């Protein structure tokens, strides 16, 4: 065997149940997606205008075993083929997280394989590494989801520095609240994105919070309130609002600030690559304007395909791989951590 390097592949089952998607995936060597089953609960929560945590937990319990089985079947594997099991343990809804954490622990114990605890935000970031082998550290990642808006410098797998974060609403939260006020439904981001394509983004003057000159933090609650006030005033005066124009103006106000600060972050760290992560990374307006601004500055932008931007277990399997090779395993006493921060470990 001398001179022959034996390269073992690592097969991980990953589970994601932090919010309203029940998902399980099988990932080979942190890159190759053998399966990625995503069962969305969106139709169930839609009639309430947002996620109802208790319903989400109960639905995860109903779905989890079937979703895991489907992920293994699609990958043509059994539990015996697994090298480890990875699970999102925070941040997210505590009851929802507990379903995935319990399933992961049970599989780890029954199979005698390592348990890998993954931060949901780290998962979103790692969605970029599933498809792109041209990325080089350091990178700047703009993480924009329903619960987070962070500008993160990434120095290596698992080595993060938060350069800026939202001081109030997350970008996705602002999209969802404005969409609800416009009567568009839930989740609001994709609906505003679609409507904005038909609108004039200069039609309504809306505030953009750039905050202090050096700050890379965000604030979207003022913008959200401005849209709600505008709608209330129009309603009281019986004036018509052009929904597409308002959607386009709102989206532009959000993306202008996101793009401006992301370019500033890149200049501060001195990197040439930007990656996008989280549900709002699916936004066409954001992708286009970041691409345009980055090109002017000779910076590359990349993002996962839409299905990997929103919640999915494949991204969790990718993040878990880099922990697996460092033998960073979690004990069976692992608990759900609803307020877990990026870069923090609680096990
Ligand atoms: O990452 P994600 O699936 O869940 C969290 O971790 O929060 O993000 C969900 C968020 C929701 O607020 C949704 O409205 C937003 O991502 N979103 C979008 C788009 N697709 C999803 N926001 C803007 N434009 C989109 N195309
Ligand atoms: Zn998410």
């Amino acid at each position: 065997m001398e001179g022959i390097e034996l390269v073992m592949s690592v097969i991980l089952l990953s589970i994601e149940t932090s919010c309203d998607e029940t998902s399980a995936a099988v990932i080979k060597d942190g890159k190759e997606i053998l399966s990625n089953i995503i069962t969305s609960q969106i139709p169930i929560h839609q009639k309430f205008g947002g996620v109802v945590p208790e319903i989400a937990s109960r639905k995860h319990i109903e779905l989890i075993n079937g979703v895991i089985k489907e992920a293994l079947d699609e990958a043509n594997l059994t539990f015996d083929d697994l090298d480890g099991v990875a699970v999102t343990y925070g941040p997210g809804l505590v009851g929802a997280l507990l379903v995935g954490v319990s399933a992961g622990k049970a599989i780890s114990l029954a199979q005698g394989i390592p348990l890998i605890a993954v931060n949901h935000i780290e998962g979103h970031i790692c969605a970029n590494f599933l498809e792109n082998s041209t990325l080089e550290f350091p990178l700047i990642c703009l993480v924009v989801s329903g619960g987070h808006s962070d500008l993160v410098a990434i120095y290596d797998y698992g080595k993060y520095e938060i350069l800026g974060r939202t001081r109030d609403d997350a970008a996705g939260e602002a999209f969802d609240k404005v969409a609800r006020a416009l009567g568009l439904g839930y989740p609001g981001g994709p609906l505003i994105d679609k409507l904005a394509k038909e609108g004039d983004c200069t039609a309504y003057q809306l505030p953009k919070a750039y905050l202090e000159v050096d700050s890379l933090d965000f604030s979207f609650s003022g913008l959200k309130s401005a849209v709600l006030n505008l709608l209330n005033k129009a309603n009281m005066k019986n004036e018509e609002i052009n929904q597409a124009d308002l959607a386009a103006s709102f989206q532009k106000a959000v993306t202008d600030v996101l793009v401006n600060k992301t370019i500033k972050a890149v200049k501060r760290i001195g990197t040439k690559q930007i990656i996008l992560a989280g549900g709002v990374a699916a936004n066409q307006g954001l992708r286009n304007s970041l691409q345009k601004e980055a090109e002017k500055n000779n910076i590359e932008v990349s993002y996962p395909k839409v299905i990997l931007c929103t919640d999915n277990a494949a991204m969790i399997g990718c993040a878990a791989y880099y922990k697996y090779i460092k033998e960073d395993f979690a004990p069976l006493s692992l608990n759900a951590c609803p307020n877990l921060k990026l870069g923090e470990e609680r096990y």
Side-chain angles (χ1 to χ4, degrees), residues 220-261:
F220 296 111
S221 73
L223 168 62
K224 173 198 68 189
S225 302
V227 175
L228 300 188
N229 287 340
L230 192 147
L231 286 168
N232 282 339
K233 274 191 199 148
N235 198 15
M236 280 186 326
K237 292 187 197 160
N238 251 337
E239 279 172 9
E240 281 265 318
I241 286 283
N242 183 316
Q243 288 218 339
D245 285 353
L246 187 52
S249 304
F250 164 76
Q251 182 166 293
K252 175 100 170 66
V254 174
T255 54
D256 275 359
V257 177
L258 291 175
V259 169
N260 173 289
K261 303 232 170 193

Side-chain angles (χ1 to χ4, degrees), residues 120 124 145 311 315:
H120 181 76
H124 273 303
S145 71
D311 291 350
M315 66 186 197

Side-chain angles (χ1 to χ4, degrees), residues 16 18-21 91 120-121 124 144-148 170-176 186-194 251 277-285 306 309-312 315:
E16 156 63 43
S18 67
C19 190
D20 59 347
E21 265 91 24
H120 181 76
I121 304 302
H124 273 303
V144 269
S145 71
H148 297 267
E173 193 179 348
F175 269 96
D176 292 339
Y186 172 84
L191 302 167
I192 291 196
D193 196 4
K194 194 164 164 231
Q251 182 166 293
V280 184
N283 187 270
Q284 209 57 55
V306 171
C309 284
T310 45
D311 291 350
N312 69 88
M315 66 186 197

Side-chain angles (χ1 to χ4, degrees), residues 130-269:
L130 278 167
E131 300 183 306
N132 198 336
S133 53
T134 62
L135 296 172
E136 276 175 36
F137 300 116
L139 292 162
I140 287 295
C141 182
L142 173 66
V143 186
V144 269
S145 71
H148 297 267
S149 304
D150 296 323
L151 262 172
V152 184
I154 310 175
Y155 300 103
D156 202 345
Y157 296 108
K159 273 190 84 183
Y160 308 106
E161 181 190 3
I162 305 223
L163 305 174
R165 54 162 54 103
T166 185
R167 294 186 186 175
D168 39 59
D169 291 357
E173 193 179 348
F175 269 96
D176 292 339
K177 287 178 179 166
V178 164
R180 192 185 307 163
L182 285 169
L184 296 178
Y186 172 84
L191 302 167
I192 291 196
D193 196 4
K194 194 164 164 231
L195 194 58
K197 291 194 180 95
E198 298 154 24
D200 171 7
C201 66
T202 61
Y204 294 97
Q205 295 308 307
L206 296 170
K208 296 174 194 171
Y210 287 100
L211 306 172
E212 308 83 41
V213 182
D214 287 335
S215 175
L216 293 176
D217 282 350
F218 302 106
S219 166
F220 296 111
S221 73
L223 168 62
K224 173 198 68 189
S225 302
V227 175
L228 300 188
N229 287 340
L230 192 147
L231 286 168
N232 282 339
K233 274 191 199 148
N235 198 15
M236 280 186 326
K237 292 187 197 160
N238 251 337
E239 279 172 9
E240 281 265 318
I241 286 283
N242 183 316
Q243 288 218 339
D245 285 353
L246 187 52
S249 304
F250 164 76
Q251 182 166 293
K252 175 100 170 66
V254 174
T255 54
D256 275 359
V257 177
L258 291 175
V259 169
N260 173 289
K261 303 232 170 193
T262 307
I263 300 288
K264 268 193 189 154
V266 165
K267 290 183 176 163
R268 191 176 292 179
I269 298 297

